[in-house]
Amino acid sequence: MRTVITGPLPDIATRFSRFLGRWWPHDALVIFTRECTGRPRKVAGNRQIVDRVTIDELDEIKQSIEPGGVVAGIRSLGGGRRRIWALRDTYDTLLVLVPRPSQAGAPDPDEVAAVFGIVATSIQHQVAQASPDYLAESRAASSERARTIAELTEVHEATLSSILGTLRSNDLDDRRSRITASETASAALITLRSAGAADRAHSEEAVTTAFARLQGELRPLLRHRDVNVDYVDPPADGRPLPGEIAHAARAMVRAIVLAFADQPVLTRLRIAWACDGSNVLIEVRDQGAGKIDRHALTRQLSCRIITLRGHIDVESIDGWGSRVALTIPLDPPPARPGEQLLSTLNSRELEVLAHLAVGKRNKAIAAELGISESTIKFHVASLLKKLDVANRGEAGAIGIQAGIMAHETPRPA
């Protein structure tokens, strides 16, 4: 389980599938979580199944299970009716397994619930901390999804509008067929447009909702401190925040509040959020002694801010107090050559890129990931082609710019 939860988040389904497969073989595994706005589906197994799994299918399965419950039977998944075994964690994360045709019976629900609870909690913690690699991967996935939805919507709207125009023409005699076809095409247009809205709803938070969640997260941090907190709410009509921005903003404000709380005396805090249409603007200030460690706090926040192309300003004046201001763009910047292609990398290639970014050679990467050196060579060649770069150094530079960098994992002596 340590191996499952300590690797890169995009690949957690693969590691968990490998873990479960030792004692309950399966063809496919899907983890569905609202916590990950960029990739709410974590998948492993048969690509003919997992590549076709939709959010609507997972939502339908989840709604049929009470929190903490299990269901087994035939359900729609991956574009077909399949035998599944599914568990809904008490914190609302869904696990779906597609057993092998020869697999009889079902896994022990208590055992799977116990280990999946660890996985679900790990996902929640990693997302809540909003690490730079999570933010970069999530933003790349969100951007690619938004682009794909926009393109598909334009193509299908044009096609269906053309069909409607033809079917409504007075030159057609078969009135009944025109009416039936017109109703079908109209329904398809409505479904298509609502699909884009539903997908955006999964990947965005209203700015007021994000701020309210922040207040709930700060309450236990300040419970035992004698400090008055003034919250200045963002405008109710402010622009919705992309999910990764909302997670990062809350994580950074928590870090700022903890830095303020480390001062010997703290009696008052003011936390304000606003939106100017293009950015979320965050300000945290106190009326204390101005004793926060500005340099340490800046270093702590800089990786997230750089990943999101934001700006941080920290002021601390002895006897007057401290102020931290964050400006985080809501839209991804125009992609630099290569960076827009990050979303074309699969989870293993992203993992290899993270190791290239810190200068590791193939042999060291293979040892770290527990796979063969020849497989690493294959992944490196693939990601160089996808990123359209000539060598490992250029690929590593893209990873560094995007905040995708591996961290050393301590090994037992």
Side-chain angles (χ1 to χ4, degrees), residues 26 57 59 392 396:
H26 49 273
E57 290 173 335
D59 258 332
R392 303 160 65 93

Side-chain angles (χ1 to χ4, degrees), residues 323-374:
R323 171 183 173 271
V324 180
L326 306 174
T327 302
I328 307 175
L330 297 177
D331 294 312
R336 301 177 185 180
E339 280 190 75
Q340 76 277 16
L341 300 176
L342 283 172
S343 59
T344 66
L345 303 184
N346 61 40
S347 57
R348 179 62 84 184
E349 289 164 348
L350 281 168
E351 196 172 11
V352 172
L353 177 62
H355 289 285
L356 292 182
V358 295
K360 289 186 178 180
R361 309 307 298 173
N362 289 351
K363 186 174 182 179
I365 299 174
E368 183 72 24
L369 300 184
I371 55 181
S372 70
E373 189 173 350
S374 61

Side-chain angles (χ1 to χ4, degrees), residues 159-338:
T159 301
L160 293 175
S161 295
S162 175
I163 293 173
L164 283 172
T166 301
L167 294 176
R168 288 170 177 166
S169 171
N170 292 328
D171 296 335
L172 297 176
D173 297 328
D174 191 345
R175 180 174 176 275
R176 185 60 192 170
S177 66
R178 291 206 326 266
I179 291 174
T180 302
S182 179
E183 290 176 346
T184 302
S186 295
L189 269 173
I190 293 171
T191 301
L192 181 66
R193 288 167 177 162
S194 64
D199 198 82
R200 285 191 295 273
H202 294 320
S203 60
E204 293 181 341
E205 283 187 37
V207 65
T208 50
T209 301
F211 193 66
R213 289 184 65 180
L214 170 69
Q215 294 179 50
E217 292 173 2
L218 291 180
R219 200 168 294 119
L221 298 182
L222 299 172
R223 180 178 300 153
H224 304 296
R225 297 297 299 254
D226 187 17
V227 55
N228 293 321
V229 184
D230 297 326
Y231 292 102
V232 181
D233 294 339
D237 59 351
R239 181 177 164 185
L241 305 183
E244 60 269 15
I245 300 297
H247 286 300
R250 288 194 293 267
M252 287 188 282
V253 171
R254 290 197 305 271
I256 294 167
V257 168
L258 288 173
F260 277 71
D262 277 343
Q263 299 176 102
V265 178
L266 179 66
T267 60
R268 191 178 188 88
L269 272 177
R270 182 181 185 273
I271 301 174
W273 279 26
C275 280
D276 64 4
S278 301
N279 305 281
V280 57
L281 309 173
I282 298 170
E283 183 185 72
V284 183
R285 65 166 66 221
D286 70 355
Q287 296 177 351
K291 296 294 185 182
I292 67 168
D293 189 334
R294 295 186 298 114
H295 300 295
L297 183 58
T298 301
R299 286 196 303 271
Q300 183 179 358
L301 301 179
S302 61
C303 287
R304 293 191 184 105
I305 279 290
I306 290 171
T307 300
L308 296 175
R309 305 295 192 269
H311 175 72
I312 180 173
D313 184 26
V314 182
E315 301 174 351
S316 187
I317 303 174
D318 284 349
W320 289 88
S322 303
R323 171 183 173 271
V324 180
L326 306 174
T327 302
I328 307 175
L330 297 177
D331 294 312
R336 301 177 185 180

